[in-house]
Amino acid sequence: MGIDDTLNKEQAEAVRCTEGPLLILAGAGSGKTRVLTYRVAWLMTEREVQPWNILAITFTNKAAGEMRERVDKIAGAQAASVWVSTFHSLCVRILRRYIGALGYDTRFTIYDADDQKNLMKQICRKKEIDTKVFKEKMFLGNISRAKDELISPEEYEMNAGSDFTQKKIEEIYYEYEKQLKLNNALDFDDLILKTVRLFEKNPEILDNYQERFRYIMVDEYQDTNTAQFRLVSLLASKYKNLCVVGDDDQSIYRFRGANIRNILNFEKEYPGARVIKLEQNYRSTEMILGAANEVIHNNKGRKDKSLWTDNGRGEAVSYRQFGTAYEEAEFVAGDIAMSVRNSERDYNDNAILYRTNAQSRLFEEKFIAANIPYKIVGGVNFYARREIKDLLAYLKTIENGVDDLAVQRIINVPRRGIGQTTILKVQSYADSHEISFYDAILEARLIPGIGRGLSKIEKFGELIQKLRRESDTLDVPGLLAEVIEVTGYVIELEAEGTDEAKARIENIDELKSKAVSYAEAHSGEEATLGGFLEEIALVADIDSLDNDQDYVALMTLHSAKGLEFPYVYMAGMEDGMFPSYMAISSDDRTELEEERRLCYVGITRAKKRLTMTGARCRMVNGQQQYNPTSRFVKEIPEEYLAEDVDVSREPTPEPPSAKYRQKMNEFRRKPYAAPKPYEKQEPKTLKGVGLEYGVGDRVAHKKFGEGTVTNINDMGRDYEVTVDFVGHGVKKMFAAFAKLRKVE
DNA sequence: CTCCCCACTCTTTTT
DNA sequence: GAGTGGGGAG
């Protein structure tokens, strides 16, 4: 079977082009995973490249797993030694071997967002920083961005100048790094950063990997950040057989440091690079693709391309606006329930995509009521749950005794009567003797003024020591069971007897079975405690999405990237939700463009039918918000958007007939202006009078001059109006005080 | 030392 | 609306 029979011309070309730098611009649904897998097979069979000389990097474990599976299928057993890995797990594997060269212990722990926040909290306390003025999140955000850009604390210091805030960040950055090192821990960004540093400082180690990975492929290249870019450059610089696949229109991770220039400047960075465009879409219908093309066309500064398909016209994209988010969710649940009942679809043919995780709640409620099986991807990560983190902290403490954060988490969990005063005494003893918190516990009797706490502390220390000894003989599931046993963790929850406690016990049972399946998957000498902890640290929630199970998938638009579903619902299509309020009010136009790319990603997930929904009114942060239809909906021309909405299965009292159509046409005619204010239709005005202006209207303020209303919040007794003033920026004000006047 | 209640913030998006 | 952190009582 030749590749020309199964691939189109461009795809086949991309497979054959194995030597030198290659950029594959792969539009949504253009079969890039197919190309990548065939390329791996081609390298091995036609070019006789050894499988272990091939490295394929993806973004998520799920993508890596899928690729692995498909490579195995077409290339057989020899493919097993091809490295298919995420950036993070690749780096961890390298660091576990060589991080000693950077002065860390190879048993380092990996800090997740929660751990980072805890550490930062401690640092702020220590540095006596008022976290009302400087928020932990602000520090972490800046540090993370610096790390993504490979900026060390020293370099940060040089750039900080005399700016007060910058100086503070610099100071905290130093301390944060110091603490991580003391705890023998790395955060997510460090995994990439330290690997880059390792290679830069140790040419012989780099050379070793350059020899090893002679052919490198990177998926989702548009989402790489500077550190990842550098890592790839280093690895590829010797043989230059680098194939990157990406789509600049699907770059949606700038907030995480993704640098779109990595893909836009690839040809400059690698002179002589081949560029192959994949523009035939095998996923969606013409209608869906047309809508997607039109929307993304509003962005500037993109590589020009236009997707096409021969999948046929298909159904138009439909848009429905509801009065409330409640009705919106009800409609979606009803729509899905109906079509499943009619055997038109299975549950897992459907996905609901939204901008923010908070939007999942209403859908969850409605799905439970309608008895629809569903799975929420993202939100609170399983491994971020308290009981799971507690038990993992025990395991971490057993594995790496210098992780103070883990020890402090569990020292009084379950309750041992060890309070804050005792902990502080241990801490200051540890600090002054420059030993870890755990080591201080072990010599607790030397701590001055420890008093009654001593026996409790000692007991805790003995407990951990005992578990450590047992860890030599027990496997991971056995050790976990032992931890649960000796701490009485589950027994305590059982005694509580609440529903919440029961849910926690269920989660613990799930953790147990994950430990068992880890042990099974790595049967043999490989199944170590460290390996288990590492696997857990690197899983994303999206990895748990199982194609074989029949449930509706609910997730954010970001999580949906790389996935496809026959029926897609994009919910919350409102200006203020999507595009987000942040993007709308930002001076930076590119923020809106990023949102638009996100919209493009959402639209192109749909294979057969795309339904967009929105609500005129919804609760956000406990406040009622009135939002106009999303500008993205308005960017879809009539020819792709459903003219008449199927009302037969719609329970709303007034079917959107001629009136509805008229309204649709009305807002479509004015491309960017918001529709007529909803407030006018709102009868109850506790405020005496309704507002004479609405979202999108031009208003005048006696101090700030003219501006445009971007949002109105019903605060109960008054309206909170957000206005974007010319020359004065965005202001929030109360309608009763502001005395805004409508300007025609 | 623990528990409970109140006030406050938060929402973009995540490996 | 929910989760967190601080303060105060027991």
Side-chain angles (χ1 to χ4, degrees):
Chain A
M1 175 191 68
I3 57 171
D4 294 297
D5 304 326
T6 38
L7 300 176
N8 69 32
K9 195 170 134 271
E10 291 77 23
Q11 290 176 329
E13 197 187 343
V15 168
R16 284 204 187 88
C17 179
T18 56
E19 310 302 306
L22 168 68
L23 166 63
I24 304 175
L25 283 172
S30 62
K32 59 168 184 164
T33 312
R34 204 175 160 79
V35 169
L36 282 176
T37 41
Y38 272 84
R39 206 165 177 278
V40 171
W42 182 265
L43 280 167
M44 289 188 292
T45 57
E46 302 294 320
R47 306 271 178 203
E48 291 175 354
V49 174
Q50 298 301 334
W52 53 84
N53 288 146
I54 302 171
L55 168 68
I57 306 177
T58 63
F59 249 70
T60 63
N61 293 299
K62 185 178 160 68
E66 270 167 20
M67 190 133 136
R68 161 108 275 150
E69 208 173 284
R70 287 168 72 168
V71 169
D72 286 351
K73 212 184 259 171
I74 60 170
Q78 57 162 337
S81 28
V82 174
W83 274 44
V84 183
S85 168
T86 64
F87 268 108
H88 296 271
S89 57
L90 170 75
C91 288
V92 170
R93 275 179 86 170
I94 294 170
L95 292 173
R96 286 268 182 238
R97 228 175 139 140
Y98 291 110
I99 200 169
L102 295 176
Y104 285 79
D105 185 280
T106 51
R107 277 173 310 169
F108 61 85
T109 41
I110 301 168
Y111 276 2
D112 65 14
D114 203 55
D115 302 324
Q116 285 178 288
K117 215 176 134 206
N118 282 331
L119 179 60
M120 189 53 76
K121 227 179 265 167
Q122 282 187 23
I123 291 173
C124 286
R125 215 174 296 145
K126 187 173 160 192
K127 294 270 173 188
E128 291 179 327
I129 281 173
D130 181 0
T131 49
K132 294 234 159 56
V133 185
F134 294 111
K135 300 218 161 69
E136 291 103 330
K137 260 181 85 176
M138 187 275 289
F139 288 121
L140 285 169
N142 278 286
I143 291 170
S144 172
R145 235 179 302 148
K147 289 186 174 185
D148 287 343
E149 296 292 325
L150 298 169
I151 296 169
S152 63
E154 290 78 14
E155 287 170 276
Y156 202 99
E157 182 173 5
M158 289 192 295
N159 297 332
S162 57
D163 182 88
F164 184 70
T165 309
Q166 291 298 313
K167 288 306 258 183
K168 266 277 176 281
I169 296 168
E170 164 211 316
E171 182 193 344
I172 299 297
Y173 189 7
Y174 270 111
E175 181 66 20
Y176 178 74
E177 284 299 285
K178 192 177 137 200
Q179 291 299 327
L180 279 177
K181 184 104 188 241
L182 284 174
N183 290 346
N184 196 30
L186 300 183
D187 64 22
F188 272 113
D189 302 311
D190 277 338
L191 297 178
I192 317 286
L193 175 81
K194 299 292 181 203
T195 311
V196 169
R197 297 278 187 249
L198 177 76
F199 285 162
E200 285 172 343
K201 283 191 185 156
N202 303 275
E204 70 293 347
I205 297 177
L206 173 62
D207 189 68
N208 176 7
Y209 282 102
Q210 286 172 334
E211 284 298 330
R212 163 113 207 204
F213 303 128
R214 295 184 191 197
Y215 290 85
I216 301 173
M217 280 165 255
V218 185
D219 195 10
E220 307 281 14
Y221 191 66
Q222 75 282 354
D223 286 327
T224 51
N225 61 35
T226 300
Q228 290 162 333
F229 171 79
R230 178 98 181 109
L231 179 74
V232 170
S233 311
L234 284 166
L235 284 173
S237 61
K238 189 161 184 180
Y239 288 97
K240 299 214 163 44
N241 296 318
L242 172 63
C243 165
V244 303
V245 188
D247 179 2
D248 51 313
D249 288 335
Q250 292 187 66
S251 165
I252 53 172
Y253 282 108
R254 197 174 60 160
F255 71 92
R256 204 171 68 186
N259 190 342
I260 195 165
R261 286 191 304 276
N262 288 347
I263 193 161
L264 294 177
N265 294 341
F266 186 79
E267 295 148 85
K268 273 194 206 119
E269 204 63 46
Y270 292 90
R274 291 281 312 273
V275 180
I276 295 173
K277 287 188 190 180
L278 305 180
E279 292 180 303
Q280 180 174 2
N281 173 294
Y282 293 95
R283 181 185 293 152
S284 313
T285 65
E286 273 173 34
M287 285 290 208
I288 291 167
L289 223 47
N293 278 333
E294 289 288 341
V295 169
I296 198 67
H297 207 73
N298 292 288
N299 273 7
K300 299 180 173 49
R302 51 186 285 268
K303 294 212 174 216
D304 193 46
K305 62 181 129 24
S306 188
L307 287 180
W308 61 278
T309 184
D310 57 14
N311 283 352
R313 234 175 124 58
E315 279 177 77
V317 175
S318 70
Y319 166 68
R320 316 214 38 172
Q321 192 183 37
F322 298 90
T324 62
Y326 199 73
E327 293 166 59
E328 177 191 38
E330 203 157 67
F331 163 76
V332 173
D335 202 44
I336 291 173
M338 172 77 76
S339 27
V340 172
R341 215 177 307 127
N342 295 342
S343 312
E344 292 162 24
R345 329 174 183 170
D346 291 325
Y347 289 115
N348 65 6
D349 290 331
N350 302 279
I352 301 173
L353 311 182
Y354 35 77
R355 180 68 240 267
T356 63
N357 280 308
Q359 285 167 264
S360 67
R361 227 196 88 250
L362 281 178
F363 287 103
E364 182 168 29
E365 235 169 63
K366 291 292 170 192
F367 279 29
I368 290 171
N371 217 355
I372 298 173
Y374 66 92
K375 165 135 187 142
I376 296 176
V377 177
V380 201
N381 191 324
F382 174 76
Y383 295 105
R385 285 162 217 244
R386 193 169 77 210
E387 59 281 13
I388 304 301
K389 288 222 72 160
D390 286 346
L391 291 174
L392 290 176
Y394 273 97
L395 297 182
K396 280 185 188 173
T397 304
I398 295 165
E399 171 74 7
N400 171 10
V402 300
D403 184 354
D404 290 357
L405 226 51
V407 184
Q408 283 163 10
R409 180 179 184 100
I410 51 168
I411 188 165
N412 197 31
V413 176
R415 306 262 122 73
R416 298 189 175 91
I418 301 173
Q420 211 183 0
T421 29
T422 312
I423 292 172
L424 279 175
K425 272 176 200 146
V426 178
Q427 180 69 64
S428 68
Y429 179 85
D431 286 346
S432 59
H433 290 73
E434 295 190 321
I435 57 173
S436 75
F437 188 82
Y438 183 68
D439 287 336
I441 286 173
L442 293 182
E443 43 192 80
R445 83 203 88 81
L446 303 175
I447 300 175
I450 192 89
R452 278 182 301 144
L454 178 63
S455 65
K456 294 167 186 164
I457 293 277
E458 280 185 327
K459 238 176 110 193
F460 173 74
E462 279 158 26
L463 179 88
I464 299 296
Q465 292 299 75
K466 174 171 176 272
L467 286 168
R468 260 197 197 165
R469 281 191 303 275
E470 287 172 333
S471 73
D472 293 335
T473 51
L474 289 170
D475 62 356
V476 176
L479 186 62
L480 179 62
E482 181 67 8
V483 168
I484 292 168
E485 175 71 33
V486 298
T487 59
Y489 201 102
V490 170
I491 295 184
E492 196 160 283
L493 283 172
E494 274 167 356
E496 237 175 87
T498 59
D499 285 350
E500 193 193 320
K502 277 179 197 145
R504 290 189 193 284
I505 293 172
E506 275 172 34
N507 287 335
I508 291 172
D509 286 339
E510 204 176 325
L511 181 68
K512 280 186 191 161
S513 61
K514 290 201 196 254
V516 171
S517 52
Y518 170 81
E520 278 166 5
H522 300 258
S523 58
E525 62 278 32
E526 256 190 287
T528 61
L529 176 57
F532 178 60
L533 290 171
E534 177 180 313
E535 198 170 286
I536 280 170
L538 296 179
V539 294
D541 207 36
I542 190 76
D543 300 332
S544 68
L545 201 64
D546 185 349
N547 300 347
D548 298 332
Q549 287 195 33
D550 195 23
Y551 45 61
V552 179
L554 282 79
M555 70 190 91
T556 62
L557 288 150
H558 281 88
S559 299
K561 197 181 61 156
L563 306 178
E564 58 176 32
F565 301 90
Y567 302 92
V568 169
Y569 296 83
M570 285 172 75
M573 298 299 293
E574 302 141 35
D575 258 37
M577 290 298 285
F578 186 39
S580 73
Y581 177 70
M582 306 280 254
I584 294 173
S585 51
S586 166
D587 301 326
D588 187 358
R589 258 200 80 86
T590 60
E591 271 188 45
L592 195 61
E593 296 212 345
E594 174 126 335
E595 295 274 309
R596 191 174 283 111
R597 287 193 291 272
L598 191 55
C599 184
Y600 176 78
V601 167
I603 295 173
T604 53
R605 295 312 95 197
K607 291 163 89 168
K608 284 189 180 162
R609 186 150 108 189
L610 175 65
T611 309
M612 291 181 166
T613 60
R616 280 187 292 266
C617 167
R618 75 167 66 230
M619 275 291 232
V620 179
N621 294 346
Q623 276 182 15
Q624 208 73 240
Q625 240 182 44
Y626 298 92
N627 292 321
T629 299
S630 170
R631 62 192 70 195
F632 297 149
V633 174
K634 293 182 227 163
E635 286 170 3
I636 303 173
E638 241 171 300
E639 56 178 308
Y640 303 118
L641 207 58
E643 268 297 333
D644 51 23
V645 178
D646 181 358
V647 288
S648 57
R649 50 176 87 155
E650 168 52 28
T652 44
E654 37 153 353
S657 52
K659 225 163 89 189
Y660 178 79
R661 264 186 239 179
Q662 199 190 338
K663 238 171 79 189
M664 293 282 284
N665 287 330
E666 212 173 82
F667 77 69
R668 226 187 266 119
R669 231 172 282 130
K670 290 196 288 178
Y672 269 101
K676 283 292 120 191
Y678 177 63
E679 283 69 26
K680 282 189 179 160
Q681 289 122 268
E682 201 202 13
K684 50 168 205 292
T685 46
L686 293 162
K687 301 98 201 168
V689 274
L691 299 175
E692 59 159 355
Y693 46 85
V695 172
D697 281 341
R698 196 92 180 140
V699 292
H701 183 273
K702 56 182 177 206
K703 199 166 144 214
F704 300 126
E706 284 191 19
T708 312
V709 179
T710 57
N711 194 33
I712 296 177
N713 272 342
D714 190 339
M715 306 290 283
R717 300 211 345 251
D718 198 355
Y719 292 105
E720 185 197 57
V721 185
T722 313
V723 186
D724 188 356
F725 287 107
V726 181
H728 287 89
V730 179
K731 307 266 181 229
K732 276 188 182 181
M733 51 191 62
F734 285 107
F737 294 108
K739 303 234 166 52
L740 294 164
R741 203 163 35 78
K742 185 173 175 181
V743 192
E744 293 306 330

